[in-house]
Amino acid sequence: MAGQDIEKLIKLVSKLPSLGSRSARRIVLHLLKKKENLFFPLIDAMNQVAENIKTCEVCGNFDTSSPCSICSSEIRNNATLCVVQDVADLWAMERVSLFKGKYHVLGGILSALDGITPDDLNIDNLIERIASENINEVILALPATVDGQITAHYLLSRLKDFDIKVSTLAQGIPMGAELDYMDEGTLQLALNSRKAL
Amino acid sequence: MAGQDIEKLIKLVSKLPSLGSRSARRIVLHLLKKKENLFFPLIDAMNQVAENIKTCEVCGNFDTSSPCSICSSEIRNNATLCVVQDVADLWAMERVSLFKGKYHVLGGILSALDGITPDDLNIDNLIERIASENINEVILALPATVDGQITAHYLLSRLKDFDIKVSTLAQGIPMGAELDYMDEGTLQLALNSRKAL
């Protein structure tokens, strides 16, 4: 078998999401073969990120500065706040580059099964931000699951005393989808929320 | 979007085999969330490997020493040499832990399509080893493809002047396989090489 150091590295790589021991082995071999072009640059980039990345104390995003570049941006709209479950969702929204407001990362959603209560989430911070900042619309960009909806309802109840607009992402048939591949729930929902042309 | 450093890291991670930009993003986020338990240990392990790993000058394996631990092992059989295409195949053979001889990594196989000729492979070294070391059997553990067979034939022609046994891995139905999922080539081959019970 490979040396001890290599085995240790393979084991660590196999802990990464979507990788198993076989793909970890392939990745490590690939790195060993491309030492100059990939292995060393990757180590440098990882060091760079590990040393510099902070969690933004305002919104919860990852960035090299805190407040992050989105929170401290002067061209973004301070009045609209998009609430997301996770940094991954924030990045997904940013990839669309349509939303020009600011974000708030909850760090999860309520879940009876996983025992996640409002205290486990970044909700008090959100209420504080809405109370102190000049926010007039909150967009709840939460997952379209039961837990996501429960979280949205809970947030709505916490936000009802504020004079702000609260909205949620539209649900329906995704772009490019074939109707006969859609589940019944989505079809029902799309039918109920049909739009007049 | 995420900061520049993170984007750079995502781009490098997405170059690894079997990963795309989406899984690279997920992996980097996972690392950022598990800084202490995974990110830092991974960087350490990578540094450790990058600094210490050498290519064994005898067989071509990767290890912290050259000659590698297999080549310098005193309990392994010096008389049997297993010829493999790649270090990945060497590791695969070692995982079975049945073979107790030594290895020789070709670094590829002959390929008319990819323009790989005998000069591109570690073949002269192999001949030298057989001429100078006390080897009496060479096992050609090459891929069961056309290119693999061509390489095996070529090696056989180069080895015919030596008084050694040359063998190749058995071909047939893999363990646990259903016959109706097997391709015709494999079935034909398994039938032709049938064994008396």
Side-chain angles (χ1 to χ4, degrees):
Chain A
M1 194 67 81
Q4 246 189 333
D5 290 339
I6 301 185
E7 285 301 325
K8 197 178 146 198
L9 178 58
I10 291 172
K11 212 169 168 187
L12 280 170
V13 172
S14 71
K15 286 185 186 167
L16 296 174
S18 76
L19 296 182
S21 67
R22 212 167 268 259
S23 39
R25 205 167 282 277
R26 263 178 64 205
I27 284 175
V28 170
L29 260 175
H30 188 79
L31 287 174
L32 287 171
K33 283 179 194 162
K34 308 219 162 176
K35 256 186 164 180
E36 301 300 328
N37 295 330
L38 189 56
F39 201 6
F40 291 130
L42 184 62
I43 293 177
D44 287 344
M46 286 173 79
N47 266 323
Q48 192 73 13
V49 167
E51 277 165 20
N52 298 324
I53 293 306
K54 304 175 185 70
T55 303
C56 171
E57 59 205 4
V58 180
C59 72
N61 189 14
F62 290 121
D63 205 340
T64 40
S65 56
S66 171
C68 72
S69 55
I70 295 178
C71 284
S72 53
S73 161
E74 302 208 340
I75 54 167
R76 295 187 79 114
N77 173 7
N78 280 315
T80 318
L81 198 66
C82 179
V83 176
V84 290
Q85 175 187 12
D86 209 344
V87 177
D89 295 349
L90 190 161
W91 291 3
M93 290 290 291
E94 280 299 281
R95 254 174 283 151
V96 191
S97 38
L98 185 72
F99 178 69
K100 290 296 171 208
K102 307 217 162 165
Y103 291 95
H104 190 85
V105 179
L106 286 182
I109 47 174
L110 298 177
S111 166
L113 269 180
D114 299 335
I116 296 176
T117 66
D119 292 339
D120 300 320
L121 303 179
N122 205 3
I123 292 178
D124 289 339
N125 252 350
L126 172 67
I127 305 297
E128 253 172 62
R129 282 184 76 181
I130 292 169
S132 63
E133 295 176 25
N134 213 351
I135 289 162
N136 57 34
E137 179 172 3
V138 170
I139 301 171
L140 302 177
L142 296 172
T145 59
V146 174
D147 282 346
Q149 287 184 343
I150 290 174
T151 312
H153 272 107
Y154 176 78
L155 288 177
L156 198 61
S157 74
R158 292 284 299 264
L159 295 175
K160 69 175 188 301
D161 296 335
F162 295 98
D163 180 27
I164 50 172
K165 216 169 106 185
V166 180
S167 59
T168 174
L169 294 184
Q171 288 188 291
I173 314 284
M175 196 111 110
E178 301 276 0
L179 286 195
D180 61 345
Y181 283 100
M182 283 287 110
D183 62 299
E184 284 105 56
T186 304
L187 277 181
Q188 221 166 18
L189 196 137
L191 193 63
N192 284 339
S193 329
R194 65 188 177 277
K195 281 165 65 180
L197 291 177
Chain B
M1 196 66 85
Q4 247 189 334
D5 290 340
I6 302 184
E7 285 302 323
K8 196 177 146 198
L9 177 58
I10 291 173
K11 210 168 169 187
L12 280 169
V13 172
S14 72
K15 285 185 187 166
L16 296 174
S18 75
L19 296 181
S21 68
R22 211 167 269 260
S23 40
R25 205 167 282 276
R26 263 178 64 204
I27 285 175
V28 170
L29 260 173
H30 188 79
L31 288 174
L32 286 172
K33 284 180 194 161
K34 310 219 162 177
K35 256 186 163 178
E36 302 300 327
N37 296 330
L38 189 54
F39 202 6
F40 292 130
L42 184 61
I43 292 178
D44 286 345
M46 285 173 80
N47 266 322
Q48 193 72 14
V49 167
E51 277 165 20
N52 298 325
I53 293 305
K54 303 175 185 69
T55 302
C56 171
E57 60 207 0
V58 180
C59 73
N61 188 14
F62 289 122
D63 204 340
T64 41
S65 56
S66 170
C68 70
S69 55
I70 295 177
C71 284
S72 53
S73 161
E74 301 207 339
I75 55 169
R76 296 188 77 114
N77 173 7
N78 280 315
T80 319
L81 197 65
C82 179
V83 177
V84 291
Q85 174 189 10
D86 209 341
V87 177
D89 295 348
L90 190 161
W91 291 3
M93 290 290 292
E94 279 300 278
R95 253 173 284 152
V96 191
S97 38
L98 185 73
F99 178 68
K100 291 294 171 212
K102 307 218 162 167
Y103 290 95
H104 190 84
V105 179
L106 286 183
I109 48 174
L110 299 177
S111 166
L113 269 180
D114 300 335
I116 296 175
T117 66
D119 292 338
D120 300 320
L121 304 178
N122 205 2
I123 292 178
D124 289 340
N125 251 349
L126 172 67
I127 306 296
E128 253 173 61
R129 282 184 76 180
I130 292 169
S132 63
E133 295 175 25
N134 214 351
I135 289 162
N136 57 34
E137 180 172 4
V138 171
I139 302 170
L140 303 177
L142 297 172
T145 59
V146 174
D147 282 346
Q149 288 184 344
I150 290 173
T151 310
H153 273 108
Y154 175 79
L155 288 177
L156 199 62
S157 75
R158 292 283 299 267
L159 296 174
K160 70 176 189 301
D161 297 337
F162 294 98
D163 181 26
I164 51 173
K165 216 169 107 187
V166 181
S167 59
T168 174
L169 295 184
Q171 288 187 291
I173 314 283
M175 197 111 110
E178 301 277 358
L179 285 196
D180 61 345
Y181 283 99
M182 284 286 110
D183 61 298
E184 284 103 57
T186 304
L187 277 180
Q188 222 166 17
L189 196 136
L191 193 64
N192 284 340
S193 328
R194 64 188 176 277
K195 282 166 64 181
L197 290 178

